[in-house]
Amino acid sequence: MTAISAQQAAAQGKQWAELRSAGGWLGWLEFDPVTAVNRVLVATATTQPLDPSVVTPTGFSARSRAHEYGGGSWCLFANGLIFVNEADQALYRVDLSNGLAAVSAPERLFHRQGCRYGDLVWDAIHQRVLAVEEDHSGPAPEPVNRLVALSLTTQQTQQIPLLSQPLAVPQRQLLAEGWDFYSSPALAEDGCALAWLCWNHPHQPWRSTTLQLAELDAAGQLQSLVTAATPGQTEVSLCQPGFLANGELWVVSDQSAGMLSPGQQEADSYWNLYRYLSESSLEPVFQLAAEFATAQWQLGLRHWVAGAAGVVASFFQQGQAGIGWLNPQSGMFERLSPNDSAAARYHGLCWNAQSGRYYALQERWDSASQLVSWDLSLQSGRDSALCHARLDVGVMPAVITRPQPCVMTCMTAFEPAEQALFGWYYPPTAEYSDAHQPALIIQLHGGPTSMADSSFDPQKQFWCDRGFGLLTLNYRGSSGFGRRYRQRLAGQWGLLDVEDVLVACQYALAQGWALPGRILVRGNSAGGYTVLRVLSDSRAAAAGIGGGASLYGISDLALLNEHTHKFESHYLSWLIGDPETAAEYYRQRSPIFQLDDFQLPVIFFQGRRDRVVPPQQTRQLFDALQGRAVTTEYVLFDEEGHGFRQAQNRTVVLQREFAFYDQLLAAASV
């Protein structure tokens, strides 16, 4: 069997996201690491299989930079679409009224200097686009966030440079301001009501948000604004509001409902669907010990959708993905495609009236992304989804490693009671160079409130094809396992996650996945921070760890707190403590100040344009370790930011990291 090369693994890293439906159209984004751009693909919804066309030409990339992580960068309507262009954060319109064969070049629709836009939603009744606006142009120390509407009914014209004709300038209408953050505008089908989320420092959307609701008059002006649901004295995360055809407002909430997950003795709360009744009053529509949402690191997330036959919603239950149909009247819930054990995640849910089908992007462990659908008007056929399109990632590996869910039991000094710890183990598809000395990589996701699912990833395959086992660890603090699990890192970041890695090492050694000294840890961003904390822990070598890789990982918490962006500017206060009263905690948990304990080798990868983790942090730690004769390497990418998007740079990461590990393991075998 031929192993997947680093170049193939990097180039195959295509992704689909932000599936949308309107009129006779379906559309979605395709990220291609070779070009490092997001293309908009559009297809006729009623054709099978779908035949998508790229409607964004060379020079355009649909990507919002609101909240730094973006999301909701485009919207679709009956005769066109509007997207945020990555380079200038301006809004552009593509006309679809003459069909895909006659698509013209994008027309620059709106630009406001210093402003970024995301969470775009089309308002068909008032012929306008609703959006979150993040204004960086003012004198305030932080950008100002608002909810705005840009009407296609124009009042003036503007000459745009490089364009021969003056373009109509949409009328910008301020809908809401005053909160630190806004997201998730949702419009009633008749255009008479608008709901959205907002929250203030020091919260993040996965901790505590407020749902607001307003009536709209015939001109689209807000009337009778109410706080539909607010956490009050209790933190509750509300997300993804939406309206049913009958005008009911639903929202996902993780308020306490006294539910037990399988094998759990104490009640927990989960992101479940709720119906809005009256001001500050919600009732559960259906309750399941599962998460019907993910942490809102990006805008525009959609895990449920209402259509003619009811509501379809996707979920995670102890890390396992599922999707189901909910009858709003009876509250009955039926799983769709229950026999599809390869499903790893469903996202971008939408419904198309012309085809009468519910659509989703499906990630799988055994193949690349698929666009699938269900027709719920049929009495049969719910056991499997209809596949309309598959993401082309080139040549697939001959053998794809099948991830195995694993649940570890841990007891630590921080939480002496037994706790569950979740992960996915990927067995090697080939033998390592020394078959009698198995090696394991423990991979840590970022966030730290994100999660690792079982989706096919050619970069995971790269490691398995070289004889490594791979354990993707959902350390405590990850989303997808209930609110209590997600909240575990409160005040404990840099401690509890480290304990979880050490527990995972013990579990891996007991399973025979690796021998002592042949466990490696790798992670990006927050995961990279945990890698550095682990490698500077005096117990790491005894736990079997031989080294690791930090991809734009945090090394100086105080410096991060000073320079980070608005969205995360108070996050460390929750993860660590108040930066003034808990200054010593910041120092104790910053790898840069734990050099005396740093003995294990590490390779660093960093982007020069990173605004989340300034490159001087990483360089400072690298220089200090070099001065102490710790085996270390440093790779800097000039054109990358927080996260590596270019295929050639992803290739370098895999090549340099593998060479680094190979050298370490060869030395350990002597």
Side-chain angles (χ1 to χ4, degrees):
M1 184 189 71
T2 302
I4 186 173
S5 69
Q7 291 88 346
Q8 290 171 329
Q12 286 183 14
K14 288 184 178 179
Q15 295 176 326
W16 279 352
E18 296 192 27
L19 178 64
R20 302 292 184 255
S21 170
W25 307 111
L26 284 172
W28 60 95
L29 299 183
E30 179 179 274
F31 170 70
D32 186 349
V34 174
T35 58
V37 301
N38 288 333
R39 308 188 302 173
V40 179
L41 277 61
V42 176
T44 304
T46 52
T47 60
Q48 173 59 24
L50 295 178
D51 184 20
S53 298
V54 178
V55 298
T56 46
T58 301
F60 291 90
S61 177
R63 186 186 182 208
S64 165
R65 291 192 286 116
H67 295 182
E68 297 299 329
Y69 298 105
S73 56
W74 81 293
C75 64
L76 183 64
F77 47 98
N79 59 1
L81 62 94
I82 295 173
F83 69 93
V84 179
N85 188 42
E86 180 177 359
D88 57 6
Q89 292 297 285
L91 275 65
Y92 288 77
R93 178 178 180 173
V94 174
D95 186 7
L96 298 176
S97 58
N98 295 317
L100 292 174
V103 172
S104 58
E107 172 189 61
R108 193 179 189 188
L109 184 69
F110 182 81
H111 179 249
R112 195 175 188 207
Q113 189 65 37
C115 289
R116 305 173 182 180
Y117 295 89
D119 240 339
L120 272 58
V121 172
W122 177 248
D123 180 353
I125 301 297
H126 304 101
Q127 291 293 290
R128 62 185 184 176
V129 61
L130 311 177
V132 171
E133 179 183 82
E134 186 175 83
D135 187 353
H136 292 252
S137 66
E142 290 187 324
V144 177
N145 290 64
R146 309 179 183 97
L147 194 63
V148 300
L150 303 172
S151 174
L152 296 192
T153 303
T154 58
Q155 294 186 332
Q156 54 181 322
T157 60
Q158 172 182 332
Q159 182 68 45
I160 304 296
L162 305 181
L163 296 178
S164 58
Q165 299 296 323
L167 297 180
V169 178
Q171 178 184 357
R172 175 185 171 277
Q173 178 185 355
L174 176 63
L175 297 177
E177 66 177 346
W179 290 73
D180 290 327
F181 299 97
Y182 290 88
S183 78
S184 314
L187 191 66
E189 191 172 296
D190 60 6
C192 293
L194 177 67
W196 64 88
L197 299 176
C198 47
W199 66 96
N200 283 327
H201 288 317
H203 297 302
Q204 290 78 42
W206 50 86
R207 282 182 53 203
S208 184
T209 54
T210 293
L211 173 66
Q212 294 199 314
L213 172 66
E215 295 179 359
L216 299 179
D217 63 18
Q221 299 284 343
L222 268 62
Q223 308 290 325
S224 306
L225 174 65
V226 299
T227 297
T230 182
Q233 299 300 313
T234 304
E235 291 186 2
V236 174
S237 173
L238 304 160
C239 51
Q240 299 186 39
F243 289 89
L244 275 59
N246 63 4
E248 281 188 0
L249 173 60
W250 285 20
V251 68
V252 177
S253 171
D254 68 354
Q255 62 196 64
S256 178
M259 290 183 290
L260 296 176
S261 62
Q264 193 176 41
Q265 302 299 315
E266 187 179 352
D268 199 355
S269 58
Y270 297 84
W271 272 317
N272 275 203
L273 282 162
Y274 283 74
R275 177 186 291 111
Y276 167 70
L277 296 178
S278 59
E279 189 168 351
S280 299
S281 178
L282 300 174
E283 72 169 6
V285 178
F286 169 76
Q287 291 184 285
L288 184 68
E291 300 270 62
F292 287 80
T294 54
Q296 186 180 289
W297 281 95
Q298 290 185 306
L299 301 169
L301 302 179
R302 297 185 181 179
H303 292 89
W304 72 274
V305 64
V311 170
V312 170
S314 63
F315 59 89
F316 285 103
Q317 192 166 35
Q318 289 194 319
Q320 304 276 356
I323 192 166
W325 168 63
L326 177 64
N327 186 316
Q329 286 71 43
S330 66
M332 295 296 294
F333 185 78
E334 174 187 338
R335 287 196 64 158
L336 302 174
S337 304
N339 301 318
D340 191 354
S341 60
R345 183 164 62 101
Y346 296 93
H347 57 107
L349 274 64
C350 63
W351 180 74
N352 185 268
Q354 290 194 15
S355 68
R357 304 189 71 90
Y358 294 80
Y359 297 85
L361 295 176
Q362 183 196 58
E363 312 295 336
R364 303 173 61 83
W365 72 261
D366 62 351
S367 67
S369 301
Q370 298 183 167
L371 197 161
V372 297
S373 76
W374 298 263
D375 184 349
L376 299 185
S377 65
L378 304 176
Q379 294 301 313
S380 61
R382 297 174 186 170
D383 291 342
S384 61
L386 176 63
C387 178
H388 296 269
R390 290 181 173 89
L391 177 61
D392 181 11
V393 295
V395 179
M396 290 291 290
V399 178
I400 300 175
T401 185
R402 180 168 188 164
Q404 304 170 5
C406 52
V407 182
M408 297 155 271
T409 301
C410 59
M411 293 176 59
T412 69
F414 303 102
E415 292 186 341
E418 286 191 354
Q419 304 287 333
L421 178 63
F422 300 91
W424 294 95
Y425 173 63
Y426 294 77
T429 56
E431 292 185 344
Y432 192 68
S433 55
D434 187 337
H436 301 291
Q437 297 194 49
L440 175 75
I441 297 173
I442 297 179
Q443 183 163 302
L444 305 173
H445 63 71
T449 325
S450 302
M451 70 171 292
D453 60 36
S454 57
S455 301
F456 171 75
D457 181 349
Q459 296 192 46
K460 295 176 185 173
Q461 190 71 36
F462 172 86
W463 296 114
C464 295
D465 282 356
R466 280 152 184 77
F468 291 92
L470 183 70
L471 176 61
T472 59
L473 186 65
N474 279 307
Y475 49 85
R476 285 171 290 180
S478 304
S479 58
F481 305 91
R483 184 178 177 92
R484 180 178 293 112
Y485 199 85
R486 191 182 345 126
Q487 296 287 95
R488 289 268 168 78
L489 283 184
Q492 300 295 315
W493 192 38
L495 299 176
L496 202 62
D497 47 323
V498 172
E499 297 294 326
D500 288 352
V501 173
L502 298 180
V503 167
C505 289
Q506 296 173 0
Y507 185 84
L509 293 173
Q511 296 294 316
W513 294 343
L515 294 178
R518 300 180 69 83
I519 297 177
L520 305 156
V521 288
R522 74 187 305 266
N524 59 293
S525 191
Y529 165 72
T530 301
V531 166
L532 297 176
R533 286 286 292 152
V534 168
L535 296 181
S536 62
D537 192 292
S538 59
R539 301 166 294 171
I545 298 173
S550 171
L551 286 75
Y552 42 95
I554 301 150
S555 60
D556 187 333
L557 294 173
L559 184 62
L560 174 70
N561 197 58
E562 291 176 10
H563 295 285
T564 194
H565 53 98
K566 180 182 179 181
F567 184 69
E568 294 186 70
S569 60
H570 290 254
Y571 196 18
L572 289 184
S573 296
W574 183 79
L575 288 167
I576 306 292
D578 182 271
E580 295 185 4
T581 60
E584 186 56 30
Y585 288 166
Y586 281 71
R587 185 175 181 86
Q588 290 173 357
R589 300 186 205 175
S590 292
I592 189 65
F593 298 118
Q594 306 305 317
L595 296 177
D596 290 342
D597 296 322
F598 226 120
Q599 303 294 332
L600 295 176
V602 58
I603 184 170
F604 297 96
F605 297 96
Q606 178 68 44
R608 189 183 297 276
R609 297 183 176 183
D610 194 334
R611 290 193 66 247
V612 179
V613 178
Q616 60 265 32
Q617 278 196 24
T618 304
R619 182 72 202 198
Q620 182 182 5
L621 181 55
F622 167 73
D623 290 341
L625 293 181
Q626 269 204 319
R628 299 187 66 256
V630 174
T631 301
T632 183
E633 292 183 20
Y634 177 74
V635 182
L636 179 68
F637 300 112
D638 288 335
E639 302 302 317
E640 297 284 12
H642 195 68
F644 304 147
R645 295 172 59 83
Q646 299 179 30
Q648 64 266 31
N649 294 335
R650 293 182 175 192
T651 300
V652 171
V653 170
L654 292 175
Q655 291 173 333
R656 293 285 294 271
E657 190 176 352
F658 174 67
F660 187 76
Y661 292 164
D662 205 36
Q663 180 182 8
L664 296 183
L665 295 179
S669 301
V670 175

